[in-house]
Amino acid sequence: MKTLLYYLIPFLFICVSCSSDDDTVFIPESDTAPQASGIGYIQTDMGTNSLYDALKTEINANTNLDVIAEIDHSLNASTAGMTLNNTRTIYFSNPSITAMLMENNMKLGLDLPLRISVYENGNKSTAIFNSSAYLDNRYALNDPSNLQLLEDTQSSVVSIAGETNVRYNNAIADPVDGITLVLSENDFDTTYDNIVQNINELTGVTIFAEIDLKANAFETGIELPPAKLIIFGNPNLGTPLMQDKPSISVDLPQKMLVYQNSLGAVNVAYNNPYYLSDRHNLGTLNNNNLATIADALSNIADAGVRVD
């Protein structure tokens, strides 16, 4: 098993060292089914912890997959004095596939590593993941073979719950990819270090993981430009979003990608929170939270790209 190069902050999660196409059958959703676009999911009568543990066991049993990190959103919520139904996300990677896909579009790093979120919803447990059709639409990857391998990998993991059919919500082709891109005036290392320093100085914000995507790709024999991902969050802001629509856990915590393109330009990319709100059909009660998150992300990116 390859050892992926990443840095993890041991706070409220466990980590281990590591290594659809158009023919998809769409199945009608139940009343409790997630409504988010571009996801695959199952619903089961299994307990949420039992489902999560089964998924983790399945990932660990696959020699091509490596668990990167585990985040317990409910535990994080409790530290902020909030309650949240049992909600957990497991991050994992198949670097040989994802590195080849990143060759087509470096911004894909914003939706890596792969992850599956599991949450309690009424008397059901739901497991969701980003479908390959969604990733293809968002990043114009145009790599059917590797996208199918990605889809097969994720659907086979969630199928262990005894659900023979993984349900899919349509991945709507949208000319707006929901990614805010900021050109940096600094070199790669300065940009990245400034962002990490700024996040560490923010009250209530925790860096959960730092992942060196270039180094991980190199271990598979693929040379990518410099690219690092930061996964971070503030449960005071993220928890209300998941209380509203638990499916948004697949897009939380926040992520910020710093990468250098083939021309040497350094970019900072992050998800527009209003895009995620539309994707998961959040209610208007979270408008103030979304505005706060949007301002925070803009300020963090600005700290990285501006010349002091």
Side-chain angles (χ1 to χ4, degrees):
M1 179 180 292
K2 295 181 181 297
T3 300
L4 296 185
L5 301 180
Y6 61 93
Y7 308 94
L8 297 176
I9 309 300
F11 181 78
L12 299 184
F13 67 95
I14 306 166
C15 70
V16 296
S17 258
C18 58
S19 70
S20 111
D21 54 27
D22 293 337
D23 297 326
T24 300
V25 176
F26 292 92
I27 302 172
E29 297 180 354
S30 70
D31 292 339
T32 60
Q35 302 298 312
S37 63
I39 61 167
Y41 68 94
I42 62 164
Q43 291 190 300
T44 175
D45 293 327
M46 289 178 66
T48 305
N49 286 333
S50 296
L51 174 59
Y52 183 90
D53 291 342
L55 297 177
K56 181 180 176 181
T57 298
E58 184 71 10
I59 293 169
N60 283 328
N62 188 326
T63 57
N64 294 317
L65 302 179
D66 298 293
V67 174
I68 301 276
E70 302 174 57
I71 296 182
D72 188 331
H73 300 283
S74 303
L75 183 58
N76 291 348
S78 69
T79 67
M82 299 179 178
T83 59
L84 179 68
N85 284 347
N86 196 352
T87 306
R88 303 167 70 183
T89 300
I90 187 166
Y91 288 78
F92 62 100
S93 178
N94 185 329
S96 61
I97 296 176
T98 55
M100 286 187 285
L101 289 172
M102 278 193 69
E103 286 185 303
N104 299 325
N105 190 337
M106 291 291 291
K107 287 191 293 184
L108 174 64
L110 191 59
D111 270 311
L112 298 177
L114 303 175
R115 65 261 193 192
I116 298 173
S117 285
V118 178
Y119 60 85
E120 175 188 354
N121 193 358
N123 61 353
K124 295 283 187 181
S125 294
T126 302
I128 65 173
F129 59 90
N130 287 325
S131 69
S132 62
Y134 169 75
L135 298 177
D136 193 21
N137 283 350
R138 194 178 197 199
Y139 299 102
L141 298 171
N142 300 315
D143 189 345
S145 178
N146 280 314
L147 284 167
Q148 188 60 56
L149 287 173
L150 204 65
E151 192 68 42
D152 292 344
T153 296
Q154 296 184 110
S155 62
S156 66
V157 170
V158 299
S159 293
I160 53 86
E163 297 288 333
T164 56
N165 292 313
V166 177
R167 296 163 172 81
Y168 290 88
N169 291 352
N170 284 300
I172 301 171
D174 190 338
V176 178
D177 63 11
I179 297 172
T180 300
L181 197 64
V182 186
L183 180 65
S184 181
E185 300 173 1
N186 295 310
D187 60 30
F188 177 85
D189 288 335
T190 301
T191 301
Y192 184 83
D193 291 344
N194 285 351
I195 288 174
V196 170
Q197 178 179 342
N198 182 268
I199 295 173
N200 282 329
E201 292 173 350
L202 296 175
T203 302
V205 179
T206 297
I207 293 179
F208 294 104
E210 301 178 57
I211 303 173
D212 190 332
L213 298 167
K214 172 183 170 66
N216 294 345
F218 184 78
E219 288 206 353
T220 71
I222 294 176
E223 183 70 32
L224 292 177
K228 290 183 178 181
L229 180 73
I230 310 163
I231 302 175
F232 62 100
N234 181 342
N236 289 288
L237 297 176
T239 300
L241 308 185
M242 290 181 282
Q243 289 172 330
D244 183 357
K245 291 293 190 297
S247 65
I248 202 171
S249 59
V250 79
D251 284 315
L252 296 177
Q254 301 295 331
K255 300 162 192 70
M256 194 162 283
L257 174 69
V258 181
Y259 71 95
Q260 184 173 303
N261 66 21
S262 58
L263 300 177
V266 176
N267 294 280
V268 176
Y270 60 89
N271 286 314
N272 183 325
Y274 295 104
Y275 169 87
L276 298 182
S277 175
D278 289 343
R279 183 189 185 200
H280 296 276
N281 302 300
L282 291 184
T284 57
L285 290 177
N286 276 297
N287 285 351
N288 288 340
N289 256 2
L290 292 172
T292 301
I293 293 170
D295 288 344
L297 291 172
S298 177
N299 291 336
I300 291 168
D302 185 61
V305 303
R306 70 172 183 265
V307 175
D308 293 329

